[in-house]
Amino acid sequence: LSLGGRGGRGFLRLRISVLGNGGIAFDDFASLCGGQELTFLPIVAETLTGVPSVAPTAAVAAPHRPLGKAKVALISASGLRNSDGGGKSDPYCVCEIVGKPQLRFQTAVIPDTLDPVWNKRGELDYAKGDSIKLTVLDRDPGSVQNHDVL
């Protein structure tokens, strides 16, 4: 993955594996039927879940269900820009599902390098329409929030 922001010409090496939960949500299966009335579906759902079925209405949005897990390996970066005046950057990488700050992980900070090797692995739950965002930052000592984006 090429890092082209802010004059950068570096590269980020990563590996992503997507693992499904094996199956399909009941509402997703029902929506595949193109709006045709299939009278057996609510009965099957009630039997399997033990929850009484309620006829769906157009005003009720389908819940945002995880489809599975994305296994992400943040391997390394190379050719990062230097944002430190008195040495080299102290890079780390944050991996997150956009709009879901609780679904994230980050690598360790590797001090004084433009070519960090992290070999950090993590798993993130994902749902239909989710996007993964990767951000490589430079840790600035003494600053808790204002780290430079590399």
Side-chain angles (χ1 to χ4, degrees), residues 91-117:
Y92 67 99
C93 186
V94 175
C95 178
E96 63 187 315
I97 300 290
V98 175
K100 298 178 182 177
Q102 73 281 10
L103 297 177
R104 65 177 272 161
F105 72 95
Q106 71 182 52
T107 67
V109 174
I110 307 297
D112 203 31
T113 184
L114 302 179
D115 302 301
V117 176

Side-chain angles (χ1 to χ4, degrees), residues 9-148:
R9 288 181 230 141
F11 293 92
L12 178 65
R13 289 185 54 214
L14 61 112
R15 182 178 314 128
I16 299 176
S17 302
V18 179
L19 306 172
N21 281 340
I24 185 170
F26 177 77
D27 292 337
D28 293 336
F29 177 75
S31 70
L32 292 175
C33 298
Q36 297 176 4
E37 184 177 346
L38 300 174
T39 57
F40 69 90
L41 289 179
I43 296 166
V44 170
E46 186 173 326
T47 302
L48 292 174
T49 64
V51 177
S53 62
V54 177
T57 64
V60 176
H64 196 62
R65 292 190 178 98
L67 293 176
K69 293 197 178 290
K71 286 189 173 186
V72 180
L74 301 171
I75 300 166
S76 65
S78 61
L80 297 176
R81 75 177 179 90
N82 189 10
S83 68
D84 285 352
K88 295 180 182 169
S89 295
D90 305 311
Y92 67 99
C93 186
V94 175
C95 178
E96 63 187 315
I97 300 290
V98 175
K100 298 178 182 177
Q102 73 281 10
L103 297 177
R104 65 177 272 161
F105 72 95
Q106 71 182 52
T107 67
V109 174
I110 307 297
D112 203 31
T113 184
L114 302 179
D115 302 301
V117 176
W118 297 297
N119 288 319
K120 174 72 173 180
R121 288 163 173 64
E123 287 186 2
L124 300 169
D125 291 331
Y126 71 90
K128 184 176 181 179
D130 281 347
S131 297
I132 292 177
K133 177 181 176 183
L134 301 167
T135 308
V136 179
L137 299 140
D138 171 38
R139 180 185 56 97
D140 292 324
S143 175
V144 176
Q145 295 179 346
N146 297 325
H147 295 197
D148 298 320

